[in-house]
Amino acid sequence: MNSPFLLFVGLLACVVRFFIADIADEKLLIIMAMINIVAFDYVILILFQDAKKIVIDKMNKSQITEKMKKDNNKKLNIFYFAFYIFIFVVVGFVYVFFLRSSALNDSISIMALVISISSDKLSSMLGNVFYYFL
């Protein structure tokens, strides 16, 4: 299936879920928020690891010098480390403790599913974008 189409369907499902939101028990809401953010973060982690492999593969096949490859690899690692910290700590913490809701829980799980289904195309696309910016 087409990845942009899947993303569109996932986003549409998230929006619809917000319109039919109901309030759940607070403890259940916290547990589901933690489960969903871990699942979402895991899918994002896998997506970005695959994109990183694509960037490294492109660098190895290119005509750039070894010094440039090392410099670019260092930049890539710094970016990914900062991104992981942001996604896992900042977004996860803020979501679980301040922004959790049953509608957002459902939306995050839907997006995790959609991203995992379309991860091959998305990681290729991200890898190409990241390589371009190096």
Side-chain angles (χ1 to χ4, degrees):
M1 244 185 167
N2 190 346
S3 295
F5 173 75
L6 286 174
L7 283 173
F8 173 74
V9 170
L11 289 171
L12 182 63
C14 293
V15 170
V16 169
R17 177 59 184 97
F18 276 109
F19 286 115
I20 58 171
D22 60 327
I23 304 300
D25 179 51
E26 188 66 20
K27 289 178 186 175
L28 178 63
L29 198 59
I30 292 171
I31 292 168
M32 291 307 299
M34 287 190 282
I35 291 169
N36 285 331
I37 202 67
V38 167
F40 181 78
D41 287 349
Y42 180 75
V43 169
I44 295 295
L45 174 74
I46 297 299
L47 178 71
F48 274 76
Q49 282 180 341
D50 290 347
K52 184 178 177 183
K53 288 177 189 173
I54 290 169
V55 172
I56 291 171
D57 189 43
K58 283 181 171 251
M59 281 193 306
N60 289 334
K61 291 179 182 177
S62 70
Q63 300 293 330
I64 62 175
T65 65
E66 285 300 315
K67 183 179 179 344
M68 285 183 71
K69 286 179 185 177
K70 285 182 181 180
D71 290 344
N72 287 343
N73 199 21
K74 186 176 179 180
K75 287 182 210 173
L76 192 61
N77 286 332
I78 290 169
F79 169 76
Y80 280 110
F81 181 74
F83 180 78
Y84 292 152
I85 294 297
F86 177 75
I87 288 294
F88 286 108
V89 177
V90 176
V91 173
F93 180 81
V94 169
Y95 168 66
V96 170
F97 292 105
F98 300 108
L99 300 177
R100 68 186 177 273
S101 71
S102 60
L104 195 54
N105 277 344
D106 291 345
S107 298
I108 287 175
S109 64
I110 290 167
M111 287 311 300
L113 176 62
V114 169
I115 291 170
S116 69
I117 291 170
S118 59
S119 64
D120 288 341
K121 296 254 184 183
L122 289 173
S123 60
S124 177
M125 184 178 69
L126 284 173
N128 291 330
V129 169
F130 294 152
Y131 182 75
Y132 175 77
F133 282 110
L134 287 177

